[in-house]
Amino acid sequence: MTQSAGAVALPEAHTNEVADLVIRARSGDQRAFGELVEHSRPPQVTLARGLLAAEEEAEDVVQEALVHAWQRLWMLRRPESFEAWMRRIVARRCLSRARRLRRTEELVDVPGGAPAPEAGLEAARLLSTLAPRQRAALYLTWVEGCTDREAGRIHGLRAATIRVHRHRGLERLRRTVEKKP
């Protein structure tokens, strides 16, 4: 078994299959890249939804990340690391998108998508008040189950920095919840 950027151990056969698809895609095989997309898109969308808390934004970010991956596939040093590489691309693009959204509008409501249970909407609203890196640190370590080191690798940060962002995010959530009547 091999370890990906998340907490999930992947069977060796799966890793070899992914590496083979990457090598074929690098040589221009669009069908191979299509298979990579088909396999990796659902978990990437889930990650983006968790980081952005906005359905349509998540879909856009993943689409942009896949285009970026196709254009830069030659840069991937270890083909068996494709899934971890995609997670980093998606996570970084989510942080950039969240920063842009935060500058242009105050994130108070969760836009679009099917109606969610009231508790889910409240949680999404609370998370949307956090700074992008705080939200990412909480999501990756608590929801995705990444260690601090894994979450740090995804964002290009040290594990200690992830702990600081998570702590500050929790403190901000605590203050927000305590203010509510």
Side-chain angles (χ1 to χ4, degrees):
M1 295 250 194
T2 59
Q3 194 73 12
S4 70
V8 179
L10 298 172
E12 195 69 36
H14 172 77
T15 303
N16 291 338
E17 180 184 336
V18 168
D20 179 57
L21 289 170
V22 169
I23 291 166
R24 287 178 27 216
R26 277 183 178 166
S27 65
D29 185 343
Q30 291 181 357
R31 289 178 109 174
F33 190 74
E35 288 181 48
L36 284 169
V37 168
E38 186 178 317
H39 174 73
S40 69
R41 184 178 175 79
Q44 303 308 332
V45 170
T46 301
L47 173 64
R49 282 182 189 142
L51 294 174
L52 292 172
E55 183 86 22
E56 60 279 349
E57 293 292 331
E59 294 284 342
D60 288 348
V61 166
V62 171
Q63 187 63 35
E64 291 169 11
L66 289 167
V67 169
H68 178 83
W70 173 250
Q71 294 169 342
R72 303 267 193 312
L73 197 56
W74 61 273
M75 294 177 73
L76 179 61
R77 291 183 197 146
R78 294 180 32 220
E80 66 276 4
S81 299
F82 177 79
E83 290 161 332
W85 184 61
M86 281 301 304
R87 284 177 65 90
R88 281 191 301 278
I89 293 170
V90 169
R92 287 179 179 158
R93 286 184 175 266
C94 284
L95 286 175
S96 294
R97 177 73 57 103
R99 279 189 218 107
R100 271 196 314 269
L101 286 172
R102 202 161 182 83
R103 276 188 230 122
T104 58
E105 63 184 57
E106 187 62 34
L107 296 176
V108 178
D109 253 310
V110 178
E118 192 63 36
L121 285 173
E122 178 64 10
R125 188 193 67 74
L126 287 170
L127 287 174
S128 73
T129 65
L130 298 176
R133 288 198 175 190
Q134 292 170 352
R135 184 170 50 245
L138 281 168
Y139 183 82
L140 288 171
T141 57
W142 285 17
V143 177
E144 290 287 320
C146 293
T147 64
D148 294 339
R149 175 177 269 163
E150 291 166 338
R153 248 187 265 130
I154 288 170
H155 290 291
L157 301 170
R158 295 180 336 189
T161 305
I162 292 295
R163 287 191 292 275
V164 168
H165 286 304
R166 184 178 56 234
H167 174 75
R168 288 180 180 165
L170 288 172
E171 284 301 311
R172 184 169 186 170
L173 287 175
R174 194 171 292 122
R175 286 191 308 271
T176 301
V177 169
E178 288 172 356
K179 284 182 188 176
K180 291 187 84 168

